Amino acid sequence: MTLLDKYELLKKSIPLLPLYNGQNTENCKFTDYTFNSKNCYYCFGGFRLEDSMYSITSMGKNLIDCYYAVGCEVCYECLDSNKCYNSAFLYDSNNCNDCNYCALCISCSDCFGCVGLTHKQYCIFNKQYTKDEYLIKLAELKKGDPEKYLEKMLATKKAVPHPASQQYNNQNCPYGDYVYDSKNSYWCFNCYSVEDCGYGFDSGPSVKKSWDVYWSGDERNTIELSYEMTLSMSTYNCSYLVNCDNCTNCFYSSDLRNCSDCFGCVALTNKKYCILNNQLSKEKYEKAVRIIKKELGWKVE
């Protein structure tokens, strides 16, 4: 039986919490995989989420029914949007304020039913108005049927050419989609504030020099020099971790908190030099890890 076989048996032998909310999470009811968040209800996969409900994989404040809304505030029914404020029914939009029923808009404000606009203000269904005209027209629109406005905008969206990928404020991030504020990253999707990374999904912020990272990231500390991370925060030089937080030099482990130099461990807190949850001295740990790595095919000097 290999160490990985023993690790799988260890995972099955230890009871784990049915829901997981990360450290620094306060008053979050019916939430799961929510980190550094406060006063949330029925939210899942949230980072730095406050006073929000019914939102998934979002970051911001006062969000309702949002999905992949990053850095947004006071928003309702916003999808795949970034740094938007006081807006509703936004799709694939970035840095927009006071916009409603809009899609593919960048740096716009006070727009209604618009698609594919950049640096525009006081527009309704892509038609330019003066401020006074816009306010009068908007008051009339608020009395109408919201479903019809949404249908009209979505029909226009289908007719407007879309960019090859949704990116905003990035540098050298090819072959990815929905990537924001990132640099030198390859094949990343739904990521923000990642740097020198590859094959990242649903991750950020502050992920650096890491590959194959899924749903991980932490603003407090950096995920760095890590590989195959899932649902983890604040790691350095780690590989094959699941649900781990604030760990260094840990491998093939899950549900660790504030640990370092652990191999094949499950549900430990404030531990060091452990293999399969067994405490070792530093010398015995280092000797055993060298043997294990060779058995797993790792290159050991």
Side-chain angles (χ1 to χ4, degrees), residues 20 33 230-232 241-245 253-257:
Y20 174 64
Y33 293 110
T230 301
L231 301 165
S232 297
L241 299 189
V242 179
N243 288 350
C244 293
D245 188 8
S253 298
S254 61
D255 298 277
L256 303 184
R257 303 290 176 270

Side-chain angles (χ1 to χ4, degrees), residues 161-205:
H162 291 204
S165 65
Q166 292 291 330
Q167 298 198 27
Y168 182 76
N169 195 32
N170 295 326
Q171 180 180 340
N172 189 30
C173 295
Y175 308 111
D177 206 2
Y178 297 104
V179 184
Y180 310 112
D181 302 319
S182 298
K183 181 180 179 181
N184 300 331
S185 295
Y186 175 83
W187 213 257
C188 291
F189 300 85
N190 295 312
C191 292
Y192 55 98
S193 297
V194 300
E195 184 175 343
D196 300 317
C197 294
Y199 302 102
F201 295 87
D202 303 339
S203 294

Side-chain angles (χ1 to χ4, degrees), residues 7-249:
Y7 168 58
E8 291 298 324
L9 290 175
L10 179 63
K11 286 198 296 183
K12 293 176 182 179
S13 69
I14 296 179
L16 299 175
L17 295 174
L19 299 175
Y20 174 64
N21 290 308
Q23 298 184 36
N24 301 317
T25 297
E26 179 182 345
N27 191 32
C28 291
K29 299 180 179 179
F30 303 104
T31 62
D32 201 7
Y33 293 110
T34 300
F35 307 95
N36 297 329
S37 298
K38 183 178 180 181
N39 302 330
C40 295
Y41 178 81
Y42 248 90
C43 294
F44 303 92
F47 294 89
R48 279 190 287 169
L49 195 59
E50 293 186 20
D51 304 314
S52 301
M53 62 178 66
Y54 305 113
S55 295
I56 299 175
T57 319
S58 295
M59 180 183 75
K61 297 179 180 180
N62 299 108
L63 306 181
I64 299 177
D65 288 338
C66 290
Y67 182 71
Y68 281 114
V70 178
C72 296
E73 189 171 350
V74 193
C75 288
Y76 174 71
E77 283 282 359
C78 289
L79 172 67
D80 287 314
S81 294
N82 177 54
K83 295 181 180 177
C84 295
Y85 177 79
N86 194 33
S87 299
F89 296 100
L90 293 188
Y91 294 76
D92 302 328
S93 295
N94 298 295
N95 198 31
C96 292
N97 299 327
D98 301 297
C99 292
N100 300 283
Y101 303 98
C102 294
L104 301 169
C105 290
I106 299 175
S107 300
C108 293
S109 64
D110 302 285
C111 290
F112 190 100
C114 296
V115 179
L117 299 185
T118 301
H119 298 292
K120 290 291 185 178
Q121 188 176 22
Y122 306 128
C123 293
I124 297 177
F125 294 111
N126 284 30
K127 182 179 179 180
Q128 184 68 61
Y129 291 86
T130 65
K131 180 179 179 180
D132 292 337
E133 290 173 338
Y134 174 83
L135 294 175
I136 294 172
K137 185 70 173 175
L138 183 63
E140 296 175 356
L141 289 168
K142 288 182 177 180
K143 301 176 183 178
D145 186 354
E147 291 188 5
K148 291 184 178 179
Y149 301 146
L150 186 59
E151 290 176 0
K152 183 176 180 179
M153 183 274 288
L154 291 176
T156 304
K157 182 173 180 284
K158 292 180 180 178
V160 172
H162 291 204
S165 65
Q166 292 291 330
Q167 298 198 27
Y168 182 76
N169 195 32
N170 295 326
Q171 180 180 340
N172 189 30
C173 295
Y175 308 111
D177 206 2
Y178 297 104
V179 184
Y180 310 112
D181 302 319
S182 298
K183 181 180 179 181
N184 300 331
S185 295
Y186 175 83
W187 213 257
C188 291
F189 300 85
N190 295 312
C191 292
Y192 55 98
S193 297
V194 300
E195 184 175 343
D196 300 317
C197 294
Y199 302 102
F201 295 87
D202 303 339
S203 294
S206 300
V207 181
K208 297 182 179 180
K209 298 180 181 178
S210 299
W211 286 67
D212 290 338
V213 176
Y214 172 68
W215 217 334
S216 298
D218 181 21
E219 62 172 339
R220 296 171 300 152
N221 297 297
T222 301
I223 288 182
E224 190 169 359
L225 295 178
S226 296
Y227 175 68
E228 284 283 358
M229 311 298 296
T230 301
L231 301 165
S232 297
M233 307 170 67
S234 304
T235 65
Y236 180 82
N237 192 36
C238 295
S239 298
Y240 305 105
L241 299 189
V242 179
N243 288 350
C244 293
D245 188 8
N246 196 28
C247 294
T248 302
N249 302 327

